[in-house]
Amino acid sequence: MESNADLVSGENLSGGETGGDRLSSSLSDSQYQQKMQRRKEVQEQRVALASVEKGLIVVNTGNGKGKTTAALGMVLRSLGHGFRVAIVQFIKGAWEPAEKEILSHFSDRLEFHAMGEGFTWETQDRDRDIQKARQAWEKALSFITNPDYKLVLLDEINVALKLGYLPVEEVLAGLEQKPEASHVILTGRGAPAPLIERADLVTEMTLIKHPFREQGVKAQPGIEY
């Protein structure tokens, strides 16, 4: 995740430049140094005030690519700190993602469960999809409530919620059972409004261009799987 310094830098939260940044190129070396010194002082003051530490509910949603990939970055960070992590995939499962192979090297600290059977247009069995989603949620809840797991990733659970496979109220109630210091990440497009309202950190991936849509480029190893 971004550090406190990232959040209070000269960039706004949407990642664009501020008006002051655009003017920086016209400043003299001395003026630029003074500007950066003032910014440094402001950042240090804000970071000093950020004293709260808590487990977070994180939502990665939107139509753009990268929701699961970003979440897996947090997984790797947690594993790097020596934490125990659990991943439950709600939709994927009919194919073997390459990340499952590389993460198998952390089997002493990582639980990885691909509980789905593939995309809904492939399964074409709503009752079975609901059954698999419920099984995945029961597995996920066992990790969410276990204080031994610092981070739990619920991959594509937002899709299960969007399709009505799981009641959002039930998922929200389950999230309330997590230990105070534990983090939970929920990925997938179409995250419902009540979940977004409850989350501590929400990122929406915006689709601008995609090679499959614009160029007919098929899914490739290392990029999509």
Side-chain angles (χ1 to χ4, degrees):
M1 298 179 187
E2 291 89 344
S3 65
N4 291 331
D6 292 327
L7 296 178
V8 295
S9 69
E11 293 186 347
N12 60 35
L13 290 180
S14 65
E17 292 181 330
T18 65
D21 289 328
R22 288 192 293 270
L23 293 175
S24 293
S25 60
S26 65
L27 300 177
S28 68
D29 290 346
S30 175
Q31 290 172 325
Y32 181 80
Q33 184 178 15
Q34 292 175 7
K35 177 183 175 67
M36 292 302 105
Q37 179 60 35
R38 288 195 298 270
R39 179 176 291 179
K40 181 175 183 292
E41 292 170 356
V42 170
Q43 289 178 357
E44 290 176 344
Q45 291 172 2
R46 291 176 177 173
V47 170
L49 293 173
S51 58
V52 176
E53 185 172 345
K54 59 174 286 190
L56 301 178
I57 295 175
V58 179
V59 172
N60 292 348
T61 192
N63 293 330
K65 178 177 168 55
K67 297 176 285 292
T68 296
T69 304
L72 289 173
M74 296 184 190
V75 166
L76 288 174
R77 284 178 174 174
S78 293
L79 292 171
H81 282 287
F83 299 143
R84 295 190 69 183
V85 176
I87 300 173
V88 179
Q89 291 186 317
F90 279 73
I91 302 298
K92 300 165 187 171
W95 53 286
E96 290 291 313
E99 53 263 29
K100 183 175 181 180
E101 170 63 25
I102 196 66
L103 289 171
S104 66
H105 296 287
F106 299 93
S107 58
D108 59 327
R109 283 176 282 129
L110 174 69
E111 291 275 353
F112 195 122
H113 298 272
M115 306 285 290
E117 293 184 330
F119 299 109
T120 53
W121 60 83
E122 293 175 339
T123 60
Q124 301 180 16
D125 187 336
R126 178 177 173 82
D127 289 341
R128 184 165 179 80
D129 288 341
I130 292 174
Q131 177 188 12
K132 299 301 290 187
R134 291 223 56 85
Q135 291 174 355
W137 172 241
E138 291 170 7
K139 175 67 71 174
L141 195 58
S142 70
F143 293 123
I144 291 172
T145 57
N146 188 338
D148 292 338
Y149 290 88
K150 181 72 171 180
L151 176 69
V152 180
L153 167 56
L154 310 182
D155 188 40
E156 302 288 357
I157 188 174
N158 295 341
V159 177
L161 291 169
K162 177 183 177 182
L163 294 173
Y165 295 169
L166 294 170
V168 64
E169 297 81 9
E170 183 177 350
V171 171
L172 290 173
L175 293 174
E176 293 303 316
Q177 299 179 52
K178 80 173 188 64
E180 180 63 27
S182 299
H183 309 297
V184 181
I185 310 174
L186 305 93
T187 73
R189 63 180 62 197
L195 176 59
I196 291 175
E197 177 67 23
R198 172 61 186 87
D200 301 289
L201 173 61
V202 179
T203 300
E204 181 176 8
M205 308 295 186
T206 301
L207 177 63
I208 297 175
K209 293 177 69 176
H210 197 293
F212 173 77
R213 187 178 66 176
E214 277 84 21
Q215 304 175 48
V217 178
K218 67 179 183 180
Q220 301 179 79
I223 302 298
E224 278 80 23
Y225 61 93

